[in-house]
Amino acid sequence: MNLFKYQIDWILANVTTSRIKYVAHLGDVVDHGDDGNSQEWINAKNQLYRLKDAKIPFGVAVGNHDQTPYGNPMSPGTNSGYGVYFGKNVMKTSATPWYKDAYGSSNNSDNHYDFFEYGAHKFMVLYLEYNNPSEALYNANYEAKVFHWADSIIQKFPDRKVIIVSHSILKAPTNNTANITTPGTSTQQGYSSFTSQGSKIYHNFKKHKNVIIMLCGHISGEGAIEEMIYKFNNGQDSTVIKSFLSDYQSRPNGGNGYMRLMRFNLTKNTLSVKTFAPRPGANILEEDADSKFTVKLFE
């Protein structure tokens, strides 16, 4: 738990100097879902609520390990854990103005969206629950309803750049296995392909020209994919969705406390990624090619 604490400590200490506007958790905030495991949820909320208390906008994706049974996207799969500590009645308050709303009319917050602003740009962070077609408990009807809701939300706010966060979007890269076997030694960016859920998400939401980034975890490794998508305005305009996988669960200590800082430079139109593990004293840096890099922000 010290590693989780160090991460939150670093964010709180650097929120001003690093201009931190938003914090995203990519899912699997616990290991055993709702399965009589309240202590894991209490541990998680004790750390993440420190962001809430400091009024730092944040959101948590629902991973398969946050569900009971694993891979079940339907209620009551998250009612006794995620719903208790990150449900709508906790997150949609006057103290959390970044949190806007969620799919459905109950306390369920498994699929929700947040707002933040940076410079002249407005952003939406849209969270989609783990619902993978490769799982026995995949629910296509639920997926269709959630996608319809999410489409309507994106269309409602065309002035906002959209970042989609879902636990499973990208597979581990096949061209670069160094980030798993010998992390920190990669000489090239790892290029991924979509998981079955990631493919569904990409092909549904690529029609929205304001969707620019997708973030995920679930599978060990660091990978990325950039897709030129959909032609708008009779083929005269297009955009690119950039997707990033960052998952360190195979490292020592369940990830060794690695996290990422994504810097938006609006003047240079760049997105720079820094990977590090906060520690008291000097942080542990990972600066190989798939851990520290810069790409265009808007295309």
Side-chain angles (χ1 to χ4, degrees):
M1 281 304 299
N2 279 339
L3 300 180
F4 200 171
K5 179 180 181 297
Y6 295 156
Q7 291 179 323
I8 305 301
D9 287 346
W10 188 93
I11 294 168
L12 294 174
N14 290 274
V15 63
T16 300
T17 55
S18 290
R19 301 180 185 177
I20 297 171
K21 300 297 182 182
Y22 191 85
V23 179
H25 193 296
L26 305 180
D28 285 356
V29 72
V30 300
D31 194 21
H32 297 95
D34 293 347
D35 195 15
N37 224 28
S38 60
Q39 189 59 52
E40 290 185 7
W41 286 104
I42 292 170
N43 291 343
K45 72 96 176 174
N46 283 346
Q47 292 305 320
L48 289 168
Y49 279 20
R50 295 170 64 201
L51 300 178
K52 183 158 69 82
D53 294 341
K55 303 188 185 307
I56 299 173
F58 77 98
V60 182
V62 173
N64 55 315
H65 282 259
D66 302 320
Q67 301 168 328
T68 300
Y70 293 164
N72 176 21
M74 295 298 292
S75 181
T78 60
N79 276 4
S80 301
Y82 185 91
V84 172
Y85 299 105
F86 302 101
K88 200 183 299 184
N89 62 350
V90 174
M91 297 302 297
K92 191 177 182 180
T93 71
S94 59
T96 55
W98 62 86
Y99 182 98
K100 294 305 173 184
D101 210 350
Y103 169 74
S105 57
S106 69
N107 182 51
N108 190 298
S109 188
D110 297 358
N111 303 276
H112 71 274
Y113 66 100
D114 299 337
F115 285 174
F116 73 93
E117 286 76 40
Y118 179 48
H121 290 279
K122 298 179 179 179
F123 294 88
M124 174 195 300
V125 188
L126 174 66
Y127 288 84
L128 300 174
E129 180 180 11
Y130 185 87
N131 185 18
N132 201 321
S134 64
E135 295 275 2
L137 293 172
Y138 164 69
N139 191 310
N141 183 54
Y142 180 68
E143 174 189 80
K145 292 178 179 179
V146 169
F147 280 12
H148 177 74
W149 165 81
D151 282 333
S152 69
I153 297 301
I154 294 173
Q155 291 167 355
K156 184 178 179 180
F157 300 101
D159 60 329
R160 289 192 175 267
K161 304 291 187 183
V162 180
I163 300 169
I164 294 176
V165 180
S166 194
H167 187 54
S168 175
I169 293 178
L170 295 182
K171 298 177 182 178
T174 55
N175 71 314
N176 179 15
T177 59
N179 60 33
I180 298 174
T181 57
T182 52
T185 64
S186 298
T187 59
Q188 60 180 323
Q189 178 71 61
Y191 292 101
S192 299
S193 58
F194 290 116
T195 63
S196 53
Q197 183 174 8
S199 180
K200 289 263 190 175
I201 292 172
Y202 169 73
H203 286 291
N204 182 81
F205 294 100
K206 68 181 183 181
K207 61 180 176 284
H208 301 290
K209 66 183 299 182
N210 53 331
V211 175
I212 60 167
I213 294 171
M214 300 198 299
L215 303 176
C216 66
H218 187 51
I219 297 175
S220 293
E222 294 176 301
I225 187 171
E226 296 185 21
E227 292 288 330
M228 177 76 72
I229 56 96
Y230 217 76
K231 294 292 184 179
F232 303 97
N233 299 333
N234 297 319
Q236 299 303 308
D237 191 15
S238 63
T239 190
V240 175
I241 293 180
K242 298 175 175 65
S243 303
F244 301 100
L245 163 69
S246 54
D247 187 295
Y248 307 101
Q249 63 181 303
S250 296
R251 309 285 184 88
N253 303 309
N256 229 17
Y258 278 95
M259 58 192 283
R260 280 185 164 182
L261 182 66
M262 308 183 80
R263 295 186 182 275
F264 291 8
N265 188 317
L266 301 181
T267 302
K268 296 181 179 179
N269 189 34
T270 58
L271 165 60
S272 297
V273 172
K274 173 184 177 182
T275 303
F276 65 106
R279 294 290 190 275
N283 295 328
I284 300 173
L285 304 180
E286 189 161 310
E287 298 185 315
D288 56 332
D290 58 5
S291 306
K292 183 180 181 181
F293 55 88
T294 298
V295 297
K296 285 186 178 180
L297 176 57
F298 304 128
E299 293 188 60

